Structure formats: C-alpha cells, structure tokens
Amino acid sequence: MLVDTRWSAWNEEIQVQVTEGAALGPAVALVGSVIAGAEAACSLQRGDAEIHAVNLAQGLPVRVSVRLARLLRSALWVARMTDGAVSPLAVDDSQSGVPSIHPVPTFADVQIDDDTVLAPWGASFDIAGIAKADTADRAAALVAHELECGVLVRVGFDVATAGHCPAGGWQVQVPGNGAVELPTGSAFATAGTDVTFAGHDPVGGEWEQVSVMAEDALWAHGSAAASLRRGVGAMTWLEQQELAARLVDRDRRVYTTCGWSHPHAA
C-alpha cells in the first residue's frame, strides 16, 4: 500500500511516498534532514549558508564541509556532462562596460581538492537547482537503505526513487500530460521556460518544456535543463545520450526521443 505526504521546504513542494505505511513518519524525518542540510550549505537566500564564504573568496582557497564539497562536485559533473550548458557559475557583470583585467571564468577553472575549493576571481556559485536534484537522489537512497522500503522523493520538479518497486511502478506526473510509470531506481525531471530551473532564470528558446527519465535525478535535471539551452539541437543530443525524453515546443507540438516510446512512458 502506497502512502505519501507533501509539505513545503527550500521554496519547493516536497513529496515523499513509501510502500510501507509505518515507514512514512521516519521517511519524512530522514528526507527533511537531508533537505535542511543541503539548504544550509548552498541556498543563496540564506545569509548563513556556507556557500557565501566560497563566493566571497574571489580567487582564494576556502575550506568547506564534506556536504558542500559533495554538492559542488555534483554541479561540476553536470557542467562537464552538458559541455557547460548547465554551469554552476554566475559571472559578476556588475562592472559591465569596463574592460576586465581577468579572463572570463568558466566551470573548468574551478578546483576542488578534498575539502578545499578554489574558484576564479569574478565568479560565484549558484547551485541550488542542481543541489535539489542531488538531494532528492540522496534522500531516496537513504530512506530505502535505513527503512528497507520502496520510496519516491520529489523536490519541486525533480523525482528520485529507490528500494523495491510498488505494483504498477511509481506514477509520476508530467506537467500538462498526465502521468508516466517510473521504474524503481530511476528518476525524472521537468524543465520549463515558465519556471526557474537549474538555479537560473527561465530561458527562452525553442522549447516550452522538457521532461527526461534517467538513472538519477541529478542527470535527469541536468539533461532537461541543458536541452532548454540547446534549442533545435536538443533532440539529437538527447538521443546520443540514450535518454527517454519528451519535448514541447513554443507552438505546443510534442516531440519524443526513441526511449520515450517505451510502454512505461505514456
């Protein structure tokens, strides 16, 4: 029997669904703890967030917690996998129009050595979107391991699953298009131009909405966000990545990759 609950945290709707009724309370506590820790590490809306120390360092090395280092590594991994289409860096353009004596920094200039982060001068991190997807993955894995049940964790538009699968699979909503069946251990994310996604402002372009199934929420999130920025090349790129995806263009026409024709995706 599936039971679930929802609440708001980190400016998102959180959903936890488990296959054992007795596990719901402990699952909510575990998920809430993981979310609170990640938010404290990297939310730019919190004055006490650890990431501010990194952003203020401007070219100097900073020691960070294991938690923040892990989130930053996840963000850099997505940047590499998307060839920079989804970058964790926001370049300081407060002096636009004034020639800079420094080269424009990129994610490739960031170094993380154990618990020490070195970011180039003129850049700051904004990893909230990526961190939320990564947090969904970690929370789902923790619940499944600790409580030995099947679990679905949704943080905003990012969905992760773990543990044993309920009969009929996990039913996940596709915004504006009903639901799809998500096998356990897989993930789902939707990016849209009408929402803030991947820690950045809405992006204009070819696509109105992109939904992606992947092995984890981190990659589903990153590939969906990257597709918004790739424009007409998104379909080819998604096929090369062998991802199941559904794309809606500005005229509301729907396109799907070969993987989306799987019977679990409706």
Side-chain angles (χ1 to χ4, degrees):
M1 178 183 69
L2 289 175
V3 292
D4 76 336
T5 188
R6 306 181 189 205
W7 72 97
S8 294
W10 203 354
N11 301 317
E12 302 287 359
E13 182 179 76
I14 312 299
Q15 179 184 12
V16 174
Q17 191 171 46
V18 293
T19 55
E20 306 292 338
L24 184 59
V28 168
L30 288 171
V31 173
S33 177
V34 175
I35 290 174
E39 182 181 12
C42 69
S43 174
L44 295 179
Q45 279 66 54
R46 289 184 52 152
D48 62 346
E50 188 182 0
I51 200 168
H52 291 300
V54 179
N55 289 342
L56 290 171
Q58 292 299 295
L60 298 175
V62 180
R63 293 189 66 181
V64 300
S65 66
V66 172
R67 178 176 54 203
L68 181 55
R70 186 178 60 210
L71 291 171
L72 289 171
R73 286 192 177 93
S74 291
L76 291 172
W77 178 84
V78 170
R80 289 193 298 272
M81 291 293 290
T82 61
D83 297 321
V86 181
S87 174
L89 289 183
V91 179
D92 181 7
D93 60 357
S94 60
Q95 299 183 3
S96 58
V98 179
S100 174
I101 61 174
H102 299 276
V104 176
T106 72
F107 71 90
D109 299 316
V110 179
Q111 300 176 41
I112 302 179
D113 184 10
D114 290 331
D115 62 351
T116 300
V117 179
L118 178 60
W121 184 92
S124 61
F125 288 96
D126 182 0
I127 65 169
I130 286 294
K132 290 172 183 178
D134 190 65
T135 297
D137 284 326
R138 295 183 185 279
L142 179 63
V143 170
H145 179 265
E146 294 290 328
L147 304 180
E148 298 182 346
C149 65
V151 59
L152 176 149
V153 176
R154 177 173 64 82
V155 180
F157 295 95
D158 303 312
V159 179
T161 66
H164 57 265
C165 189
W170 298 103
Q171 299 300 309
V172 178
Q173 292 296 313
V174 180
N177 190 59
V180 293
E181 181 185 326
L182 193 64
T184 197
S186 56
F188 185 83
T190 296
T193 57
D194 58 342
V195 297
T196 299
F197 199 76
H200 300 282
D201 293 330
V203 179
E206 181 76 14
W207 307 111
E208 188 75 23
Q209 179 178 297
V210 181
S211 297
V212 177
M213 292 183 184
E215 293 183 356
D216 54 57
L218 182 66
W219 185 220
H221 177 115
S223 56
S227 296
L228 285 184
R229 293 167 172 79
R230 288 182 180 276
V232 295
M235 282 289 294
T236 299
W237 182 78
L238 288 165
E239 292 285 10
Q240 290 172 344
Q241 303 301 318
E242 299 183 347
L243 290 167
R246 176 180 183 271
L247 302 87
V248 183
D249 71 11
R250 294 288 183 171
D251 295 319
R252 303 289 177 159
R253 291 174 297 198
V254 176
Y255 302 81
T256 59
T257 62
C258 292
W260 193 266
S261 62
H262 187 283
H264 289 313

